[in-house]
Amino acid sequence: MIRKVLVANRGEIALRVIRAVREMGLQSVAVHSTADADALHVKFADQAVCIGPPPSRQSYLNVPSIIAAAEVTGADAIHPGYGFLSENAEFAEVCLKCNLTWIGPPPSAMRLMGDKIRAREAMNAAGVPTLPGSVGLATEADVLSNADRIGLPVIFKATAGGGGRGMKIVHERERLLDAWNTGRNEAQAAFGNPEMYMERYCQKPRHIEIQVAADTHGHYMHLGERECSIQRRHQKVIEEAPSAALAPETRKLLTAAAVRAISAIGYTNVGTLEFLLDSDGSFYFMEMNTRLQVEHPVTELVTGLDLVREQLRIAAGEPLSFSSERVPNGHAIELRVNAEDPETFAPWPGRITALHMPGGLGVRVDTHVYAGYVVPPNYDSLLAKVIVHDVDRPSALRRARRCLDEIVIEGPRTNIPFLRRIVSHPEFVRGEFDTGFVARLLAEGKPAR
Ligand code: MV4
């Protein structure tokens, strides 16, 4: 039984979790930095505790402060949201040691997936396809011999990395050692672990991910795919479900592989397996995110499920609320609205002087901002997620364009012109794109105003 949930996060996702907690008849506790004293998650929670100064290290990443906040408020469970401590296995273990229910997967599964080489090995053992690759590269001879076996181009990835950080693509044999050495230095600085491995580099793939959910009663389920190929520098900009690119047979193979993967590792709670989809329909496991994702609402709109409610049920030892495969209903698209310069993408914090969010049938807006709110410079620049739902992709796209015409945000500049440009682009409208779409668009010229 869970009675009081501490939400160890901020922004729209803290609100999202507090809403589900309240609807389930449970109590909520917000934590916040001094920069977030006026934030909506603080107002909407039943209780709130200040856990430190603005820098994340001293507040939202400050484990002793968060645990103390749970103790003084009598919270019995912790929801980490996404980002911050959500994929930190040590934090999950500290929560469990303090008799706090961890609303997430077993720490062992978090640790396994945090080690990208071990994750690949576990997937291979479960019969989930991965690209030809190496294990940890120890010497220059290892680098050269593995590249010769795999064939060029290859991509170096940090064993402790993820989300595209610290990757190096190499097309020429002469560049291998230089890329490996630079990569090792960057990985050491970013993750405290220099180890790199390599994979065959897949050119112009799609990024497709499978949402999964598993309870502690042995039910392993998938909730279909999300198309996440529209990214800029590994930050997703637009996500949708279902994917326009997935043939029904491929969808069956992908979702079956994802379910095999989570049952093989005894996963519980919700999670996401990221795959690359090649133009010939073959797919390869990239990594697993052992948390709720930013883009989870597109899955909620096409399945009718509340993924945070499922997380709480699972953590409380209850079964999933559903037992049969979900057939996606209609089409959902999420637009991430950021406070940033629409040309340079530099963050643009500051006061929101006027605000109107879109609404109407089939429109969901997940946001923590309001007129008068000051976007602090210390955190990410996400202002709102506008998620639209309609019967099919063309209708959902029309709804997305209509929402972008309604939205008013004065004060900080935003990426709305850039979102407009994408949802009106002929190739995007035809569903013909890959992970290189945004980079090619930006190389073409400046966004129209
Ligand atoms: C790759 C790849 C191509 N080949 N691995 C990026 C995020 C991380 N989860 C996996 N990523 C990729 N891994 C191999 N072997 C392409 C990506 C990738 C990507 C690469 C460059 C620019 C944008 C990208 C967007 C999504 C995925």
Side-chain angles (χ1 to χ4, degrees):
M1 253 278 283
I2 295 174
R3 284 175 30 238
K4 194 185 270 194
V5 179
L6 183 143
V7 182
N9 214 300
R10 65 176 301 283
E12 67 85 22
I13 195 61
L15 274 182
R16 167 70 190 86
V17 173
I18 289 166
R19 287 175 171 143
V21 166
R22 175 157 283 226
E23 287 178 7
M24 292 174 80
L26 309 174
Q27 295 283 300
S28 57
V29 178
V31 293
H32 66 92
S33 69
T34 52
D36 279 339
D38 296 327
L40 281 190
H41 74 284
V42 172
K43 290 194 213 304
F44 286 6
D46 295 299
Q47 287 172 275
V49 181
C50 183
I51 52 167
S56 300
R57 293 246 148 253
Q58 296 171 66
S59 50
Y60 299 103
L61 294 171
N62 184 340
V63 172
S65 285
I66 293 168
I67 297 292
E71 275 169 6
V72 301
T73 56
D76 50 17
I78 297 210
H79 193 300
Y82 55 67
F84 294 122
L85 295 165
S86 62
E87 297 194 270
N88 185 320
E90 286 75 46
F91 177 59
E93 274 170 350
V94 169
C95 291
L96 294 169
K97 283 204 184 93
C98 295
N99 264 317
L100 295 161
T101 299
W102 170 248
I103 304 172
S108 58
M110 296 171 68
R111 204 165 269 126
L112 174 65
M113 291 303 160
D115 179 328
K116 305 302 163 186
I117 295 177
R118 279 181 64 213
R120 267 174 60 90
E121 287 166 353
M123 291 303 117
N124 286 329
V128 176
T130 59
L131 279 159
S134 73
V135 292
L137 300 163
T139 64
E140 295 194 340
D142 273 355
V143 173
L144 296 174
S145 63
N146 275 287
D148 289 340
R149 171 178 58 82
I150 293 162
L152 294 174
V154 296
I155 183 167
F156 288 102
K157 299 184 179 184
T159 306
R165 291 177 307 158
M167 303 190 329
K168 291 264 175 290
I169 300 156
V170 179
H171 293 269
E172 292 139 37
R173 197 171 189 277
E174 303 71 61
R175 293 270 160 85
L176 282 167
L177 298 180
D178 198 44
W180 177 59
N181 282 308
T182 313
R184 280 174 67 78
N185 290 331
E186 289 177 11
Q188 175 63 48
F191 315 113
N193 176 356
E195 193 178 61
M196 305 285 282
Y197 66 103
M198 73 167 77
E199 278 180 354
R200 195 182 88 207
Y201 179 59
C202 182
Q203 312 210 37
K204 298 198 164 194
R206 289 201 179 226
H207 175 138
I208 305 268
E209 54 188 37
I210 306 294
Q211 176 71 55
V212 293
D215 60 24
T216 52
H217 303 267
H219 302 116
Y220 299 101
M221 303 292 290
H222 76 81
L223 294 168
E225 83 277 10
R226 290 185 290 260
E227 163 69 66
C228 300
S229 300
I230 304 298
Q231 314 190 357
R232 185 189 155 271
R233 299 209 186 159
H234 305 299
Q235 289 293 324
K236 294 165 188 167
V237 181
I238 297 183
E239 305 96 340
E240 50 185 309
S243 166
L246 213 51
E249 318 82 76
T250 314
R251 177 176 291 113
K252 273 208 186 98
L253 294 171
L254 251 178
T255 54
V259 171
R260 267 202 315 282
I262 59 170
S263 71
I265 65 171
Y267 193 82
T268 57
N269 216 280
V270 308
T272 298
L273 289 96
E274 290 185 7
F275 293 91
L276 289 186
L277 178 67
D278 217 336
S279 40
D280 64 0
S282 50
F283 58 83
Y284 306 97
F285 170 82
M286 287 290 112
E287 53 191 77
M288 180 171 184
N289 301 318
T290 55
R291 54 171 159 83
L292 186 72
Q293 293 199 216
V294 177
E295 60 272 25
H296 76 277
V298 297
T299 299
E300 295 187 319
L301 292 185
V302 298
T303 62
L305 293 168
D306 179 335
L307 287 177
V308 178
R309 186 185 297 175
E310 298 302 327
Q311 288 192 289
L312 282 147
R313 290 177 63 100
I314 297 162
E318 293 164 28
L320 293 170
S321 74
F322 58 98
S323 57
S324 57
E325 188 114 326
R326 310 294 281 200
V327 182
N329 168 36
H331 197 94
I333 302 176
E334 172 175 280
L335 311 166
R336 296 196 193 185
V337 180
N338 298 325
E340 62 193 17
D341 185 300
E343 270 109 52
T344 66
F345 300 95
W348 199 304
R351 185 178 298 276
I352 297 177
T353 52
L355 182 75
H356 175 78
M357 284 294 172
L361 183 65
V363 179
R364 164 174 170 183
V365 179
D366 280 17
T367 184
H368 58 297
V369 307
Y370 52 85
Y373 176 74
V374 180
V375 180
N378 314 87
Y379 313 109
D380 71 12
S381 58
L382 183 68
L383 291 178
K385 305 187 303 201
V386 175
I387 315 110
V388 297
H389 184 221
D390 209 331
V391 291
D392 56 19
R393 191 168 187 272
S395 318
L397 272 173
R398 282 192 291 270
R399 188 157 277 169
R401 285 185 219 110
R402 188 268 285 174
C403 285
L404 290 173
D405 289 342
E406 281 184 17
I407 194 165
V408 177
I409 300 174
E410 285 175 16
R413 296 205 68 190
T414 74
N415 64 335
I416 289 170
F418 182 55
L419 292 170
R420 276 217 179 87
R421 192 166 168 219
I422 297 172
V423 295
S424 300
H425 195 288
E427 287 168 23
F428 180 75
V429 171
R430 287 200 298 273
E432 290 165 10
F433 53 84
D434 58 70
T435 52
F437 177 86
V438 168
R440 288 194 297 274
L441 193 64
L442 292 173
E444 257 170 40
K446 298 285 175 213
R449 287 294 308 275

